[in-house]
Each structure stands twice: as structure tokens, then as C-alpha cells.
């Protein structure tokens, strides 16, 4: 398993700017709580699935098999 940043630098820059503005909480989520702190609970759960390969909700991270 490998987790990497999106290859599109403009997406990475935009999402990281949003993370700074929201103090580390996912800029794509409306709620601000521990479940939406980057890496969000949704993506952490997807990481646990050995069959999952893909991006997190905001496209910042990609999990490879």
C-alpha cells in the first residue's frame, strides 16, 4: 500500500490552501470536527480496505494498492 499526493500540483495547492484556511480540516466538508480533520475519517476507513484504490474526497491523496 502506498499513499501519495495527487499528481496535479494545482489541485494539491488549492486543497492545501483550503486546509490552512480551515486549520487542517477538510476544505471540502461543511462540518468541522475530528472526523473531518485531514486525513479525514472517510479516507482513513478507505485506507483500511485492501481492495480500495483511489482518491480521498478532496482529491489531495491517492491510495495505491
Amino acid at each position: 500500500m502506498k499513499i501519495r499526493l495527487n499528481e496535479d500540483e494545482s489541485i494539491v495547492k488549492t486543497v492545501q490552501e483550503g486546509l490552512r484556511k480551515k486549520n487542517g480540516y477538510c476544505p471540502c466538508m461543511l462540518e468541522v470536527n475530528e472526523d473531518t480533520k485531514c486525513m479525514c475519517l472517510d479516507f482513513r476507513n478507505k485506507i483500511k480496505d485492501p481492495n480500495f484504490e483511489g482518491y480521498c474526497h478532496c482529491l489531495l491523496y491517492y491510495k495505491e494498492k
Side-chain angles (χ1 to χ4, degrees):
M1 174 185 72
K2 180 180 177 184
I3 298 172
R4 62 172 172 79
L5 289 176
N6 191 320
E7 293 175 349
D8 186 329
E9 292 179 19
S10 66
I11 290 175
V12 172
K13 182 179 176 184
T14 300
V15 175
Q16 287 178 335
E17 183 178 307
L19 285 166
R20 280 191 290 279
K21 288 179 181 178
K22 287 185 76 176
N23 295 317
Y25 292 92
C26 181
C28 303
M29 305 268 188
L30 295 176
E31 293 183 38
V32 175
N33 59 44
E34 287 305 309
D35 291 346
T36 62
K37 187 82 167 179
C38 189
M39 287 182 173
C40 67
L41 178 63
D42 177 59
F43 193 59
R44 290 191 312 256
N45 286 336
K46 288 178 180 176
I47 290 170
K48 293 176 188 176
D49 179 356
N51 295 314
F52 173 77
E53 181 170 1
Y55 288 100
C56 67
H57 183 265
C58 64
L59 304 177
L60 180 61
Y61 295 108
Y62 186 85
K63 179 197 169 202
E64 299 176 0
K65 288 185 182 179

